[in-house]
Amino acid sequence: FNTPPPSVLQVNFVVSQLFALLTAVWFRLYLHPSKTSPFIRHVVATLLGFYLALFCFGWYALHFLVQTGLSYSIMVFASLEHMHKYCFVTALGYLSFCQITRVYVFDYGMYSADFTGPMMVITQKITSLAFEIHDGLAKREDQLKPSQKYLAVRRMPSLLEYLSYNCNFMSILAGPACSYNDYMAFIEGSGYHCHGELANGKENGKVKLSEPSPKNDVLSKLVTCGISLGVYLALCKVMPVERSVEPSFVASTPFYQQVLYLYLAMLALRPKYYFVWTLADAINNAAGFGFNGYRKDGSSRWDRVSNLNILEIEFATSFKMFIDNWNIQTALWLKRVCYERCPLNPTAATFLLSAIWHGVYPGYYLTFLSGIAMTMAARALRHNVRPHFQTSDLRRRVYDVITWAGTQVAISYTVVPFVLLAVGPSLQFYRYSSWSYCIHLLCLVLVLVLPVRARRPRDAQQQGQQAVLEGGADGDKVHQSNPHAATDNNCNKKDT
């Protein structure tokens, strides 16, 4: 297997996603559930997905088939009691094996499109579905949380359904992950049936609403993609994060300017992710997937599988708020397969799983270990300081400005190893630059000095993971009255 140069991989990725966007429009118009059967929709979505994978990654795309094939065999032949555990270990283990070989055997440091990227999303889908089947077929109703009841899968998927869910053309390259029930509702055309409310607020029972068009949302997201790509291409070479560890820059730049530069460098880097995730969201919407009910004004919402909220990220006033709106579907996956099910220290276990899932670069582990400290310190600070700023509007505004600045600096500081990847440059940034582990030490002091009210088990269950897990909570709160329709749980949701 010969790996194409990074520039070719990136161009192939963008071309493939634009092709997927056009194909999604055709798929929604000409293979609409009212015009064709779910079988045809599954077949076409799967074949197109494999075609895009082969075009983008060549024969490396065979790894997608191996991973899904191994997991499906386990699902079929293993006992229901332990099937989800075997699938979890197999899918994550095979992903890690591919990441290790790519990084340490082929091209260490190639931070570009690669075949393990799609495998990360497939791993999310495989493991989520395994737990959902286990919940639906091996557990009693009283053993499940409300969200687990809604997500539970009550029958074993066929091989075609399984391949379509994991490898469809809409999400094969950049995701996002979604629940199996949501995807099946999209394929079968039941995603627009919901418990709605009339404009005057009166209940109208279960109705079939006129099918909304995603056109405006798709166009809006494509504009966002264009702006994000333009900003990234214009600034990424001008303000590289790597400059923060250059001895000449550290020696000649005052500390406050280093802080400002780091923030701006991270600000210039984020549009790359905005472009990729927003384009992926637009592709799903163009195919008719992602409908999330209606707002009070009657306009449709197409954020069911959205992966980020840009304004909430850039104006986040807390560590939690930032992560809640970043990579939302991955946060939901971590919540559902790890945090809600881990009996011991679920927060640390979830950060560790996130690091393993991201890959084998040491910088990932440094970032997520730092994230644990940041989360604990932010929680302690909020509980002890925030009440003193809620007595007037002016104080609240002052608090928001201060916490916004602190959040942006803390996030930028924490994710430096994630960008630098290697241990040496990361430790050089923390240890030998002007930072000198200052935020790590500050977090330690805050955790040791400030008291934090212990949360009751019920509160913890309702609030979920405070740092990395509650992103996309809107899409995770469910109504039990209609487990068949994919978007029922959000049809009556009020905007906040």
Side-chain angles (χ1 to χ4, degrees), residues 22 50 62 75 110 124 148-149 214 233 244 252 279 292 344 351 372 377 379 413 429 441 478 494:
L22 297 176
F50 285 133
L62 291 177
M75 285 174 48
M110 189 186 77
Q124 289 184 2
Q148 292 172 346
K149 291 179 182 178
L233 293 178
S244 297
S252 61
L279 180 56
N292 203 20
L344 297 174
F351 274 107
I372 299 175
R379 186 181 300 163
Y413 174 90
F429 171 80
L441 295 174
V478 298
K494 295 181 179 180

Side-chain angles (χ1 to χ4, degrees), residues 284-343:
N284 281 270
N285 293 168
F289 187 34
F291 175 66
N292 203 20
Y294 292 87
R295 299 181 179 90
K296 274 189 172 182
D297 61 5
S299 62
S300 58
R301 294 175 54 183
W302 287 88
D303 56 359
R304 181 68 175 166
V305 292
S306 294
N307 229 1
L308 76 168
N309 296 312
I310 296 177
L311 292 180
E312 297 294 327
I313 290 170
E314 298 301 340
F315 294 99
T317 56
S318 69
F319 204 82
K320 172 186 176 298
M321 183 178 175
F322 187 101
I323 301 177
D324 279 356
N325 294 281
W326 175 270
N327 207 354
I328 294 170
Q329 301 305 321
T330 294
L332 283 175
W333 170 68
L334 292 168
K335 173 175 180 276
R336 292 165 179 169
V337 305
C338 184
Y339 186 83
E340 290 184 340
R341 302 174 190 270
C342 184

Side-chain angles (χ1 to χ4, degrees), residues 249 253-264 409 412 435:
F249 175 81
T253 308
F255 181 65
Y256 76 91
Q257 291 185 11
Q258 293 184 41
V259 175
L260 180 61
Y261 178 84
L262 180 62
Y263 165 69
L264 294 175
V409 172
S412 300
W435 292 91

